[in-house]
Amino acid sequence: MTPFHIRNKDIGKESATLFIRIHTRKIDVLVSTMLQVEVADWQKATASPRAWLAHQKKNYQLHAKLIQIEGIVKAHLAKVNFDREALDMDVRYISEPEKVDAERRAMEEAAEAERKAIAKREAAKENARKKAEEKKRIEDEKNRLIWPFLVQFVDGIKAGRARLAVTTMRPVPARRGKVLSGFMRVSTHCTNSDGRILTARLCLDTSTICRSTATWRK
């Protein structure tokens, strides 16, 4: 007549919780409905079909909930993957809707917080990657600009094609008339044998050449 029953250990009690057993080839679980019934009344109702019909008429709301639970169980069994926790929560919702709703909201909020945390970590990693790439690009650009000039400059001095002229150094100005500590702007001129002048303008910090230009001019 019904898949719902009272556990044997609850038979001697005045009231007890109804359970439903799910038994298939791969599944064998006992699910609590969270619904309480009078033990003596339930045993009487399940004694005969006539008594069962009388119990249904007398306890319409209880049987309506049991029908809902049966539908929930069938729906979960029809899924490819059986989720016991999800089934328990769906069954509990019939008897404790407000409590289950609160739990679901808490779970959704926790999941959303975790998604945001993951997104934040990924964004931080991406930002660090971009900064590293930009730093490398700047270093490569420095090397591209300074080393050809230094090679040309030194080779010219060694070969006697250029002679060192005047070198001036002055602080690098910043905004509002301040001076950038540790940076100097250097201007160096070398003249080669045919009268052409090599002009180099460098922006130096304590150990690294930040920017350089080198041009030959008459």
Side-chain angles (χ1 to χ4, degrees):
M1 287 182 293
T2 178
F4 300 97
H5 66 275
I6 296 172
R7 294 180 299 181
N8 290 334
K9 66 178 183 179
D10 295 331
I11 294 297
K13 298 179 181 179
E14 292 185 2
S15 63
T17 301
L18 289 176
F19 285 80
I20 180 172
R21 177 170 292 282
I22 303 173
H23 183 70
T24 67
R25 187 168 59 87
K26 296 182 179 180
I27 303 169
D28 187 9
V29 295
L30 187 64
V31 180
S32 172
T33 66
M34 305 296 292
L35 300 174
Q36 294 281 314
V37 295
E38 297 292 331
V39 174
D41 190 39
W42 182 261
Q43 287 182 310
K44 181 180 178 181
T46 56
S48 66
R50 183 175 181 180
W52 181 249
L53 290 174
H55 192 271
Q56 286 181 316
K57 291 180 180 179
K58 185 179 178 180
N59 302 276
Y60 175 80
Q61 292 184 347
L62 170 64
H63 284 273
K65 291 179 179 179
L66 293 178
I67 291 172
Q68 285 182 284
I69 292 173
E70 282 192 85
I72 290 170
V73 170
K74 290 178 180 178
H76 277 270
L77 289 176
K79 295 180 179 179
V80 175
N81 297 316
F82 179 75
D83 188 335
R84 171 64 187 274
E85 292 185 1
L87 172 62
D88 285 339
M89 182 166 284
D90 287 344
V91 171
R92 283 179 51 222
Y93 183 81
I94 302 302
S95 59
E96 301 176 331
E98 293 181 359
K99 185 176 181 180
V100 173
D101 277 339
E103 291 179 6
R104 284 174 173 168
R105 284 196 298 271
M107 291 172 62
E108 289 174 357
E109 289 173 0
E112 180 63 22
E114 179 64 18
R115 284 194 293 270
K116 289 182 179 180
I118 293 173
K120 186 176 181 180
R121 289 195 295 268
E122 292 299 323
K125 288 181 181 179
E126 180 65 14
N127 189 42
R129 184 188 65 79
K130 289 182 178 180
K131 285 184 178 180
E133 288 182 353
E134 179 63 13
K135 182 179 180 180
K136 184 178 184 302
R137 187 193 66 78
I138 292 174
E139 291 298 327
D140 291 344
E141 183 68 8
K142 290 177 186 177
N143 292 332
R144 186 186 70 81
L145 291 172
I146 189 59
W147 288 113
F149 159 71
L150 291 178
V151 171
Q152 184 182 17
F153 184 83
V154 173
D155 287 348
I157 294 296
K158 288 180 178 180
R161 295 193 306 271
R163 59 185 178 82
L164 185 63
V166 61
T167 298
T168 60
M169 299 181 68
R170 55 192 176 87
V172 178
R175 294 181 179 179
R176 301 180 181 178
K178 295 182 181 180
V179 174
L180 292 176
S181 177
F183 286 83
M184 298 294 290
R185 181 169 289 146
V186 181
S187 178
T188 300
H189 305 280
C190 291
T191 306
N192 72 347
S193 57
D194 62 0
R196 298 177 67 193
I197 298 173
L198 175 64
T199 300
R201 295 183 178 86
L202 311 176
C203 179
L204 307 178
D205 62 15
T206 55
S207 61
T208 305
I209 298 176
C210 301
R211 184 178 65 254
S212 68
T213 58
T215 57
W216 282 101
R217 62 184 177 82
K218 287 187 177 180

